[in-house]
């Protein structure tokens, strides 16, 4: 596992051509950007957790049946400071950093003082976000770094707090059919009570001269107060339908007092998260056009979730699918010391791993208080999800378990906010580490897999065929690496219908395991499949090679 996850990656700053075996479809034109941790030690210092590694951004450009690869470290302020000092000097989520003992007493004092209120790193290692026609490396902090898609150069840092009062934000936004971007974050510090905020960035927010950030046109959709004043819920993503935002306020919480004192107690920020298994999960439903919350209170059993799959409205129900866990052990599995253990010990430890379950919730939207208690209000014929009206007027929801053992879910994004049938993801049936790609048919509850011995594929990304009408008409793209020196890293191209291999592009360079990414079409189509002839998409794919 350390060979796959814990070793330092390397840049390939100039594009290299991959050797294609098989045939890449002629219509596949564009660039797949991928982001993830790639540098785990600086000088003699090492990060404690895989999610702390410095961001390494990859690009796979498809053109005329050829595939070109390049990668660069995100030149964030955090990266520059660490490299200049030749050691880790910026605290990450799982690694707390203390001042150099060689510094004078005044410098150490001010460093200690500044850590009373954390100023988070800008190491954006999770995903690539589009705001307007600008592209940003993002994680779950108040900073994002703009990148140039064609060259992977870091353009500059943007602070959400200059445009909206929030301290944390997700790296998993949604895009509507017009190309507007929706995202949400947490406002912990500042004026007023702490709250969750949902915001929108219009599709035309970019400054054509590239002097002003797209966030300057940010619009607040709504805010939601914390259920527990000092214990905000952790969230990694959210759901969106044609008319609603779905936010899952789970009992996996950040302890604000512990966060404020973590530095002085010698513990990481990650240790300030705690799962409260005896509490309930609250489901917030907000009209994304008016910003008003639905009056009904929906809740269910405790769960932990990182990734939503899709959400849609069907016959006066709001249906949303997510990947759920029974505990928060997943985070612990990615400590680098854990991955350095003997493989048999890692396997034994992983038995504690709560398997991910693709769960479907169905919330009835129109409920009368005259409705009978104790009966299932879900009338949809294609789900076993339940919703029961309680005496206090709330609705208790029980999910339908669709599939076990799938993470990093992706869909044909043309079906986002709509009723859909297929979800693709990383198959994790023996550990939290991906070793297969799966396609799950939600309607039949069956699945097919792609697998190769000793190979580890990244999150699968769906790209639709031109003019496609069928949901699974397209290809799946996944970056695959192996600890076997005889297996070169390769970009895998699968038929999205069957998961049969169409091509693999073997890359003559080092490629590191990543997390999430975004496909930028070479045509005038926006990422996510939504149309619109944009300079940003042209700039992102046609330059630099």
């Amino acid at each position: 596992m350390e060979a796959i996850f814990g070793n330092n990656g390397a840049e390939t700053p100039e594009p290299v051509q991959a050797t294609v075996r098989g045939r890449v479809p002629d219509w596949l034109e564009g660039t797949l950007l991928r982001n993830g941790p790639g540098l785990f030690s600086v000088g003699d210092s090492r990060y404690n957790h895989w999610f702390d590694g410095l961001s390494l951004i990859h690009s796979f450009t498809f053109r005329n049946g050829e595939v070109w690869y390049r990668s660069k470290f995100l030149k964030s302020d955090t990266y520059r400071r660490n490299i200049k000092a030749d050691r880790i000097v910026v605290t990450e989520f799982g690694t707390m950093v203390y001042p150099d003992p060689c510094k004078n007493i005044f410098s150490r004092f001010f460093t200690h003082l500044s850590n009373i209120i954390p100023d988070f790193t800008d190491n954006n290692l999770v995903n690539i976000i589009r705001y307007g026609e600008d592209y940003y490396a993002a994680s779950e902090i108040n900073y994002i770094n703009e990148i140039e898609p064609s060259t992977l150069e870091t353009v500059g840092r943007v602070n959400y707090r200059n445009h909206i009062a929030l301290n944390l934000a997700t790296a998993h936004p949604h895009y509507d059919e017009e190309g507007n971007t929706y995202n949400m974050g947490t406002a912990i510090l500042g004026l007023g009570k702490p709250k969750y905020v949902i915001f929108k960035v219009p599709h035309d927010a970019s400054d054509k001269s590239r002097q002003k950030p797209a966030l300057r046109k940010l619009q607040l959709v709504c805010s939601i107060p914390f259920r527990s004043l000092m214990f905000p819920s952790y969230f990694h993503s959210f759901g969106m339908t044609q008319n609603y935002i779905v936010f899952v306020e789970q009992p996996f919480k950040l302890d604000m007092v512990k966060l404020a004192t973590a530095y002085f107690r010698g513990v990481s920020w990650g240790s300030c998260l705690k799962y409260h298994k005896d509490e309930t999960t609250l489901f917030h439903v907000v009209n994304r056009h008016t910003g008003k919350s639905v009056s009904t209170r929906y809740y269910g059993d405790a769960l932990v979730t990182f990734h939503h799959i899709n959400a849609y409205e069907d016959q006066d129900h709001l249906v949303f699918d997510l990947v759920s866990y029974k505990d928060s052990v997943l985070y612990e599995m990615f400590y680098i010391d854990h991955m350095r253990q003997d493989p048999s010990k890692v396997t034994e430890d992983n038995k504690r791993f709560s398997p991910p379950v693709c769960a479907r919730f169905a919330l009835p939207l129109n409920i009368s208080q005259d409705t009978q208690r104790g009966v299932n209000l879900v009338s949809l014929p294609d789900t076993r999800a339940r919703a029961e009206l309680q005496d206090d007027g709330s609705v208790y929801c029980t999910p339908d378990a669709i599939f076990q053992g799938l993470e990093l879910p992706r869909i044909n994004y043309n079906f986002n906010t709509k009723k859909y049938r297929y979800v693709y993801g990383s198959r994790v049936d023996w550990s939290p580490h991906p070793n297969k790609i799966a396609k799950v048919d939600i309607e039949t509850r069956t699945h097919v897999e792609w697998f190769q011995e000793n190979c580890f594929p990244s999150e699968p990304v769906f790209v639709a065929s031109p003019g496609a009408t069928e949901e699974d008409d397209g290809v799946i793209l996944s970056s695959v690496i192996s600890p076997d020196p005889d297996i070169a890293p390769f970009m895998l191209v699968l038929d999205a219908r069957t998961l049969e291999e169409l091509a693999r592009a073997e890359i003559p360079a080092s490629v590191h395991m990543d997390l999430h990414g975004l496909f930028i079409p070479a045509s005038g189509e926006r990422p996510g499949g939504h149309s619109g002839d944009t300079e940003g998409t042209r700039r992102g794919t046609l330059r630099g090679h």
Side-chain angles (χ1 to χ4, degrees), residues 502-515:
L502 299 176
R504 64 175 60 192
E506 296 177 348
I507 299 162
S510 170
V511 180
H512 205 279
M513 179 65 77
D514 55 35
L515 281 169

Side-chain angles (χ1 to χ4, degrees), residues 184 194-198 222-226 247 249 284 286 293:
M184 69 177 298
K195 53 189 175 291
Y196 312 104
V197 292
I198 299 169
C222 76
S223 60
I224 301 169
F226 291 179
F247 165 52
E249 192 173 13
H284 296 274
V286 179
S293 296

